[in-house]
Amino acid sequence: RVHGGNTSLRAAMDFALAAELKKGEVNLGTSIIGVQFDGGVVIGADSRTTTGSYIANRVTDKVTPLADYVYCCRSGSAADTQAVAEAVKYNLAMFRQMTGDQPPVRIAARLVGDIVYQNKDALSAGIIVAGYDKELGGQVYTVPLGGGVVPQPFSIGGSGSTYIYGWCDAHYKEGMTREECIEFCKSGLALAMSRDGSSGGVIRLAIIDANGVERLMFSGDEIPSWYTK
């Protein structure tokens, strides 16, 4: 037991306890996913934001619009990824004003990659950029911590992704329909959320195609269950 006279020892123990409970900055220990289909993309994420072992927000919207037809999913430091998204959103708005056209998805992905690369020693940001444009249709780009920009038919990221790489490889197939991509994202996120302590809450999806953006949310019994008691 720590007695009142030994204030330095008590302060040290209080500091250690606080560090154990709420260690580190607010981060998006998370599960994010994106997959393309013929004519569009589906992008989604869980909704848990953590500060160490403390859940700071259980209904965060990590599916962030960058332009009318371009969205991103954010993992890493919440502050870092929000700053990157806001900077890219501003630049894409300027592109729209100057050209009169919707910005291509690859331009958005390149802007994200450039910012992350130029600040790779200061930022903690892993981002999936996905969307639709008239030139190339639905596209998914992975922007990992170093700032690379990698086009992929599907992408996963965040702490929860480590649990579902094998599942995604086994269940992804080329030529999936819009509905199959929605189910692929929903089931993959549900599995990641059930295994990863830093992922949880609800599932948020965005389906982006030539007709615009449709947002979906799944909670409670709507989230697939991967075990029976």
Side-chain angles (χ1 to χ4, degrees):
R1 182 177 178 180
V2 180
H3 297 284
N6 195 345
T7 55
S8 60
L9 177 57
R10 181 167 59 185
M13 292 185 67
D14 289 343
F15 178 81
L17 179 60
E20 179 182 353
L21 291 177
K22 300 175 70 173
K23 182 179 180 180
E25 62 186 334
V26 176
N27 68 82
L28 298 175
T30 189
S31 300
I32 56 178
I33 190 169
V35 59
Q36 66 184 42
F37 61 90
D38 184 20
V41 296
V42 180
I43 189 170
D46 74 309
S47 66
R48 179 174 291 178
T49 297
T50 58
T51 305
S53 59
Y54 174 74
I55 299 174
N57 190 341
R58 63 189 180 89
V59 288
T60 308
D61 189 356
K62 305 175 188 177
V63 183
T64 306
L66 300 177
D68 291 345
Y69 292 86
V70 185
Y71 276 61
C72 73
C73 280
R74 304 175 288 114
S75 67
S77 163
D80 291 352
T81 57
Q82 286 172 358
V84 171
E86 287 299 319
V88 172
K89 188 175 182 179
Y90 171 81
N91 280 277
L92 293 180
M94 292 296 295
F95 179 96
R96 177 73 189 277
Q97 287 286 343
M98 295 173 65
T99 65
D101 296 325
Q102 292 289 347
V105 184
R106 69 179 188 280
I107 297 297
R110 175 51 62 189
L111 284 172
V112 172
D114 285 348
I115 294 173
V116 174
Y117 176 76
Q118 291 167 10
N119 301 276
K120 58 182 175 294
D121 294 329
L123 295 179
S124 173
I127 299 174
I128 296 173
V129 180
Y132 172 88
D133 59 51
K134 294 179 180 179
E135 183 180 355
L136 297 176
Q139 300 149 71
V140 176
Y141 295 87
T142 301
V143 183
L145 290 175
V149 179
V150 185
Q152 295 182 297
F154 79 91
S155 176
I156 57 177
S159 57
S161 67
T162 58
Y163 297 92
I164 62 170
Y165 273 100
W167 184 91
C168 288
D169 287 340
H171 287 80
Y172 173 79
K173 60 181 184 289
E174 293 185 6
M176 287 196 295
T177 65
R178 181 181 189 271
E179 289 70 26
E180 287 175 328
C181 287
I182 292 173
E183 193 61 32
F184 177 81
C185 289
K186 184 170 70 172
S187 297
L189 289 172
L191 180 57
M193 290 161 60
S194 71
R195 294 294 184 182
D196 178 34
S198 295
S199 300
V202 304
I203 293 175
R204 299 184 188 274
L205 300 181
I207 302 95
I208 312 167
D209 57 22
N211 297 318
V213 181
E214 180 183 357
R215 296 298 305 267
L216 300 176
M217 186 190 77
F218 303 96
S219 62
D221 293 340
E222 299 173 323
I223 299 176
S225 177
W226 288 93
Y227 63 90
T228 55
K229 294 182 179 179

